[in-house]
Amino acid sequence: MEIVPLRPGFGAELRGVTLSDVASDDDAYKAVRAAFEEYSVLVFRGQEVTDDIQLAFSRRFGPPEVTKVGSMGTGSHFVILSTIGPDGKVVPADHRQAMRAKANQLWHTDSSFKRVPALTSILSARTIPEHGGETEFVSMRLAFEKLDEGMQKKLENSFAWHSYAHSRGQIAPGLATPEEQAALPPVCWRMVWKNPVNGRGAVYLASHAYAVEGMDAAAGKKLIDELTAAATAPGTSYLHQWKQGDVVMWDNRATMHRGRPWPAHEARLMIRTTISATEADGVANMGLPSPQAAE
Ligand code: OGA
Ligand code: MN
């Protein structure tokens, strides 16, 4: 396996390894896992991808999420990001499927609004538009390391509230349905996720974050907005331009990503698998300390 860094500080293309190798071979998994911990965004090109191959690869990294209510693919291990309607035609721009694609164009990390946040997401391109439709990534580790020590300490001991209704509400009121809102009450996470393998901290934020515990609403929102702007400043990102056979996986603990727009009449279909974070991934340190734990 050859590791080709994509930009200074994060991101790498892995050559000479297939998804099936990782699924079936412990050494291949270990090499890819080490690269994942180090580079945060991994690109595999020229892959043979089926749902089964993608899921077998994904399972190596931990338990696959079951897709939430209200999403295409609900109840399965696949998130279907598609602008193709049931009749096979591209949906209009105001259709729920198109609005959801828009919500993915806000900087975020996946599943920070869930009771169990995600370790990694694995995304494969199945139908690629001719123009646009890239996926863009930033490193929240580099963002953390750029902060002064006082701010780093403050964030390590701060907690932000995340909610699916909040991020969807930025696109259209009511885009998160009552059913989704009932299934996904707000959750609160430490604002720094420390990688247990290498000890590096990353700012843990997303479009889902809307308040900071113990700060007044406006001040908390301002802090979130300023951290997001600094983390996503021009020149900091890796822009992935999709080709057939591409698979990209990212560390949801240490990156943010967003989809980029494409012409509304062009079809786009992507399939995502998402792996829940476990104790070994540092999740136990992320929740608000409970009153019992403090005693
Ligand atoms: C995702 C996501 C953006 C895109 O799959 O989690 O945010 O470019 N995708 O499709
Ligand atoms: Mn996403």
Side-chain angles (χ1 to χ4, degrees), residues 79 81 104-105 108 110 121 123 133-136 242 250 257-260 262 268 270 272:
V79 173
L81 302 171
N104 270 341
Q105 292 168 19
H108 67 282
D110 293 331
S121 299
L123 189 62
E134 305 91 345
T135 308
E136 190 174 15
W242 291 95
W250 58 88
H257 62 279
R258 65 173 178 179
R260 300 305 290 145
W262 67 95
R268 186 174 187 264
M270 313 286 287
R272 196 182 89 205

CSV table of all heavy atoms in Angstrom, one decimal, residues 79 81 104-105 108 110 121 123 133-136 242 250 257-260 262 268 270 272, ligand 1:
chain,number,residue,atom,x,y,z
A,79,VAL,N,-27.1,5.1,3.8
A,79,VAL,CA,-27.7,6.4,3.6
A,79,VAL,C,-27.7,6.7,2.1
A,79,VAL,O,-26.6,6.6,1.5
A,79,VAL,CB,-27.0,7.6,4.3
A,79,VAL,CG1,-27.6,8.9,3.9
A,79,VAL,CG2,-27.1,7.3,5.8
A,81,LEU,N,-28.0,9.2,-0.8
A,81,LEU,CA,-28.1,10.7,-1.1
A,81,LEU,C,-28.4,10.8,-2.6
A,81,LEU,O,-27.5,10.5,-3.4
A,81,LEU,CB,-26.7,11.3,-0.8
A,81,LEU,CG,-26.3,11.2,0.6
A,81,LEU,CD1,-24.8,11.8,0.8
A,81,LEU,CD2,-27.2,12.0,1.6
A,104,ASN,N,-26.7,19.3,3.3
A,104,ASN,CA,-25.4,18.7,3.3
A,104,ASN,C,-24.3,19.7,2.8
A,104,ASN,O,-23.1,19.4,2.9
A,104,ASN,CB,-25.3,17.4,2.5
A,104,ASN,CG,-25.7,16.2,3.3
A,104,ASN,OD1,-25.6,16.2,4.5
A,104,ASN,ND2,-26.1,15.2,2.6
A,105,GLN,N,-24.7,20.8,2.3
A,105,GLN,CA,-23.8,21.8,1.8
A,105,GLN,C,-23.4,22.8,2.9
A,105,GLN,O,-22.6,23.7,2.6
A,105,GLN,CB,-24.3,22.5,0.6
A,105,GLN,CG,-24.4,21.5,-0.6
A,105,GLN,CD,-25.2,22.0,-1.8
A,105,GLN,OE1,-25.4,23.2,-2.0
A,105,GLN,NE2,-25.6,21.1,-2.7
A,108,HIS,N,-20.3,20.4,8.2
A,108,HIS,CA,-20.7,19.6,9.3
A,108,HIS,C,-19.9,18.4,9.5
A,108,HIS,O,-19.0,18.1,8.6
A,108,HIS,CB,-22.2,19.1,9.0
A,108,HIS,CG,-22.3,18.2,7.8
A,108,HIS,ND1,-22.3,18.7,6.5
A,108,HIS,CD2,-22.4,16.9,7.8
A,108,HIS,CE1,-22.4,17.6,5.7
A,108,HIS,NE2,-22.5,16.5,6.5
A,110,ASP,N,-20.7,14.2,10.5
A,110,ASP,CA,-21.9,13.4,10.4
A,110,ASP,C,-22.3,12.9,11.8
A,110,ASP,O,-21.4,12.5,12.6
A,110,ASP,CB,-21.7,12.1,9.5
A,110,ASP,CG,-21.6,12.6,8.1
A,110,ASP,OD1,-22.2,13.6,7.7
A,110,ASP,OD2,-20.9,11.8,7.3
A,121,SER,N,-17.3,8.0,8.2
A,121,SER,CA,-18.3,7.8,7.1
A,121,SER,C,-17.5,7.4,5.9
A,121,SER,O,-16.4,7.8,5.7
A,121,SER,CB,-19.0,9.1,6.8
A,121,SER,OG,-19.7,9.6,8.0
A,123,LEU,N,-18.1,7.1,1.8
A,123,LEU,CA,-19.0,7.5,0.8
A,123,LEU,C,-18.5,7.1,-0.6
A,123,LEU,O,-17.3,7.2,-0.9
A,123,LEU,CB,-19.0,9.1,0.8
A,123,LEU,CG,-20.0,9.8,0.0
A,123,LEU,CD1,-21.5,9.4,0.4
A,123,LEU,CD2,-19.9,11.3,0.1
A,133,GLY,N,-20.7,19.3,-7.6
A,133,GLY,CA,-21.0,18.0,-6.8
A,133,GLY,C,-19.8,17.5,-6.1
A,133,GLY,O,-19.8,16.3,-5.7
A,134,GLU,N,-18.8,18.3,-5.9
A,134,GLU,CA,-17.6,17.8,-5.2
A,134,GLU,C,-18.0,17.7,-3.7
A,134,GLU,O,-19.0,18.2,-3.2
A,134,GLU,CB,-16.4,18.8,-5.3
A,134,GLU,CG,-16.0,19.2,-6.7
A,134,GLU,CD,-16.8,20.4,-7.3
A,134,GLU,OE1,-17.8,20.8,-6.7
A,134,GLU,OE2,-16.3,20.9,-8.3
A,135,THR,N,-17.1,17.1,-2.9
A,135,THR,CA,-17.2,17.1,-1.5
A,135,THR,C,-15.9,17.7,-0.9
A,135,THR,O,-14.8,17.4,-1.4
A,135,THR,CB,-17.4,15.7,-0.9
A,135,THR,OG1,-18.5,15.1,-1.6
A,135,THR,CG2,-17.7,15.7,0.6
A,136,GLU,N,-16.1,18.6,0.0
A,136,GLU,CA,-15.0,19.4,0.5
A,136,GLU,C,-14.7,19.1,2.0
A,136,GLU,O,-15.7,19.0,2.8
A,136,GLU,CB,-15.3,20.9,0.3
A,136,GLU,CG,-14.2,21.9,0.6
A,136,GLU,CD,-14.5,23.3,0.2
A,136,GLU,OE1,-15.7,23.6,0.0
A,136,GLU,OE2,-13.6,24.1,0.1
A,242,TRP,N,-15.2,14.0,-7.7
A,242,TRP,CA,-15.5,12.6,-7.8
A,242,TRP,C,-15.3,12.1,-9.2
A,242,TRP,O,-15.7,12.7,-10.2
A,242,TRP,CB,-17.0,12.4,-7.4
A,242,TRP,CG,-17.2,12.7,-5.9
A,242,TRP,CD1,-17.6,13.8,-5.4
A,242,TRP,CD2,-17.0,11.7,-4.9
A,242,TRP,NE1,-17.7,13.7,-4.0
A,242,TRP,CE2,-17.3,12.4,-3.7
A,242,TRP,CE3,-16.6,10.4,-4.8
A,242,TRP,CZ2,-17.2,11.8,-2.4
A,242,TRP,CZ3,-16.5,9.8,-3.6
A,242,TRP,CH2,-16.8,10.5,-2.4
A,250,TRP,N,-13.8,9.4,5.9
A,250,TRP,CA,-13.3,10.5,6.7
A,250,TRP,C,-13.6,10.2,8.2
A,250,TRP,O,-14.5,9.4,8.6
A,250,TRP,CB,-13.9,11.8,6.3
A,250,TRP,CG,-15.4,12.0,6.4
A,250,TRP,CD1,-16.1,12.3,7.5
A,250,TRP,CD2,-16.3,11.8,5.3
A,250,TRP,NE1,-17.4,12.4,7.1
A,250,TRP,CE2,-17.6,12.0,5.8
A,250,TRP,CE3,-16.2,11.4,4.0
A,250,TRP,CZ2,-18.7,11.9,5.0
A,250,TRP,CZ3,-17.3,11.3,3.2
A,250,TRP,CH2,-18.6,11.5,3.7
A,257,HIS,N,-17.0,18.5,6.7
A,257,HIS,CA,-17.1,18.4,5.3
A,257,HIS,C,-18.4,19.1,4.9
A,257,HIS,O,-19.3,19.3,5.7
A,257,HIS,CB,-17.1,16.9,4.8
A,257,HIS,CG,-18.2,16.1,5.4
A,257,HIS,ND1,-18.3,15.6,6.6
A,257,HIS,CD2,-19.4,15.7,4.8
A,257,HIS,CE1,-19.4,14.9,6.8
A,257,HIS,NE2,-20.1,15.0,5.8
A,258,ARG,N,-18.5,19.3,3.6
A,258,ARG,CA,-19.7,19.8,3.0
A,258,ARG,C,-19.8,19.4,1.5
A,258,ARG,O,-18.7,19.2,0.9
A,258,ARG,CB,-19.8,21.3,3.1
A,258,ARG,CG,-18.8,22.1,2.3
A,258,ARG,CD,-19.0,23.6,2.3
A,258,ARG,NE,-18.0,24.3,1.6
A,258,ARG,CZ,-17.9,25.6,1.4
A,258,ARG,NH1,-18.9,26.4,1.9
A,258,ARG,NH2,-17.0,26.2,0.7
A,259,GLY,N,-21.0,19.2,1.0
A,259,GLY,CA,-21.2,18.9,-0.4
A,259,GLY,C,-21.1,20.3,-1.1
A,259,GLY,O,-21.4,21.3,-0.5
A,260,ARG,N,-20.8,20.3,-2.4
A,260,ARG,CA,-20.8,21.5,-3.2
A,260,ARG,C,-21.9,21.4,-4.2
A,260,ARG,O,-22.3,20.2,-4.6
A,260,ARG,CB,-19.4,21.6,-3.9
A,260,ARG,CG,-18.2,21.7,-2.9
A,260,ARG,CD,-18.4,22.9,-1.9
A,260,ARG,NE,-18.2,24.2,-2.5
A,260,ARG,CZ,-18.9,25.3,-2.1
A,260,ARG,NH1,-19.8,25.1,-1.1
A,260,ARG,NH2,-18.8,26.4,-2.7
A,262,TRP,N,-24.3,21.6,-7.6
A,262,TRP,CA,-24.2,21.1,-9.0
A,262,TRP,C,-25.5,21.6,-9.7
A,262,TRP,O,-26.5,21.9,-9.0
A,262,TRP,CB,-24.0,19.6,-9.1
A,262,TRP,CG,-25.1,18.8,-8.6
A,262,TRP,CD1,-26.1,18.2,-9.4
A,262,TRP,CD2,-25.4,18.4,-7.3
A,262,TRP,NE1,-27.0,17.5,-8.6
A,262,TRP,CE2,-26.5,17.6,-7.3
A,262,TRP,CE3,-24.7,18.6,-6.1
A,262,TRP,CZ2,-27.1,17.0,-6.2
A,262,TRP,CZ3,-25.3,18.0,-4.9
A,262,TRP,CH2,-26.5,17.2,-5.0
A,268,ARG,N,-27.5,13.1,-9.2
A,268,ARG,CA,-26.3,12.7,-8.4
A,268,ARG,C,-26.8,11.7,-7.4
A,268,ARG,O,-27.9,11.8,-6.8
A,268,ARG,CB,-25.8,13.9,-7.6
A,268,ARG,CG,-24.5,13.7,-6.8
A,268,ARG,CD,-24.0,15.0,-6.3
A,268,ARG,NE,-22.7,15.0,-5.6
A,268,ARG,CZ,-22.6,14.9,-4.3
A,268,ARG,NH1,-23.6,14.7,-3.5
A,268,ARG,NH2,-21.3,14.9,-3.8
A,270,MET,N,-25.2,9.1,-4.4
A,270,MET,CA,-24.1,8.7,-3.5
A,270,MET,C,-24.6,7.8,-2.5
A,270,MET,O,-25.7,7.9,-2.0
A,270,MET,CB,-23.4,9.9,-2.8
A,270,MET,CG,-23.2,11.2,-3.7
A,270,MET,SD,-21.8,11.0,-4.8
A,270,MET,CE,-20.4,11.1,-3.6
A,272,ARG,N,-23.7,6.2,1.3
A,272,ARG,CA,-22.9,6.3,2.5
A,272,ARG,C,-23.1,5.2,3.5
A,272,ARG,O,-24.3,4.9,3.8
A,272,ARG,CB,-23.1,7.7,3.2
A,272,ARG,CG,-22.0,8.1,4.1
A,272,ARG,CD,-22.3,9.4,4.8
A,272,ARG,NE,-23.1,9.2,6.0
A,272,ARG,CZ,-23.9,10.1,6.5
A,272,ARG,NH1,-24.1,11.3,6.0
A,272,ARG,NH2,-24.6,9.8,7.6
B,1,OGA,C1,-22.4,12.9,3.5
B,1,OGA,C2,-22.3,14.3,3.0
B,1,OGA,C3,-21.8,15.5,1.0
B,1,OGA,C4,-21.8,15.2,-0.4
B,1,OGA,O1,-22.5,12.0,2.8
B,1,OGA,O2,-22.3,12.8,4.8
B,1,OGA,O3,-22.4,15.2,3.7
B,1,OGA,O4,-21.0,15.8,-1.2
B,1,OGA,N1,-22.1,14.3,1.7
B,1,OGA,O5,-22.7,14.4,-0.9
